[in-house]
Amino acid sequence: MKSISRWLAAAGLVAVAVGVVLFLWPLRGAGLSGNALWPHYGVFGWATYAPMPAHPTLDDLRHAGITVPQDTVRARRRTAGIVTAAGVAVVVIALIAIYRPWTALARRRTATRTSK
């Protein structure tokens, strides 16, 4: 059982490492540079057939179906956060499985019940 738990812990650590890499991997997009932790926004072009106000806001652009750089950053942060959180959860579960003291008690109770 400990070998399975160790493999789970290793898989969880790999998932945490992948999450960190996703946070730090460079973003590519129109008007966007940097990574998910420290993005740098610039000017980006857009075109739409929908009528737009003279000075559209980001919500106006999103409503017209235009992907703004902030949406790309938000999606990357969400993906990296989910992968990292899942990795941390797997590591915690694996460590609990490795160092659980209550299984020794359960084994002793089962052994005493079967021996009687």
Side-chain angles (χ1 to χ4, degrees):
M1 185 67 181
K2 281 191 177 185
S3 65
I4 294 172
S5 299
R6 288 183 182 147
W7 279 104
L8 275 175
L13 289 175
V14 167
V16 169
V18 167
V20 170
V21 167
L22 282 174
F23 272 119
L24 297 175
W25 195 267
L27 290 166
R28 307 264 187 231
L32 183 62
S33 62
N35 55 35
L37 293 178
W38 300 286
H40 302 284
Y41 300 108
V43 178
F44 65 99
W46 53 272
T48 181
Y49 292 109
M52 298 293 286
H55 301 288
T57 63
L58 290 178
D59 288 335
D60 293 334
L61 295 173
R62 286 183 183 119
H63 185 67
I66 299 169
T67 303
V68 296
Q70 287 85 348
D71 295 339
T72 306
V73 172
R74 184 180 304 125
R76 174 72 67 89
R77 285 178 178 170
R78 185 179 301 129
T79 303
I82 289 170
V83 169
T84 305
V88 169
V90 169
V91 167
V92 167
I93 289 170
L95 290 177
I96 288 172
I98 290 172
Y99 297 110
R100 55 184 181 200
W102 60 85
T103 56
L105 293 173
R107 287 182 193 149
R108 276 191 245 140
R109 288 181 190 160
T110 306
T112 55
R113 286 183 195 160
T114 56
S115 65
K116 288 183 182 179

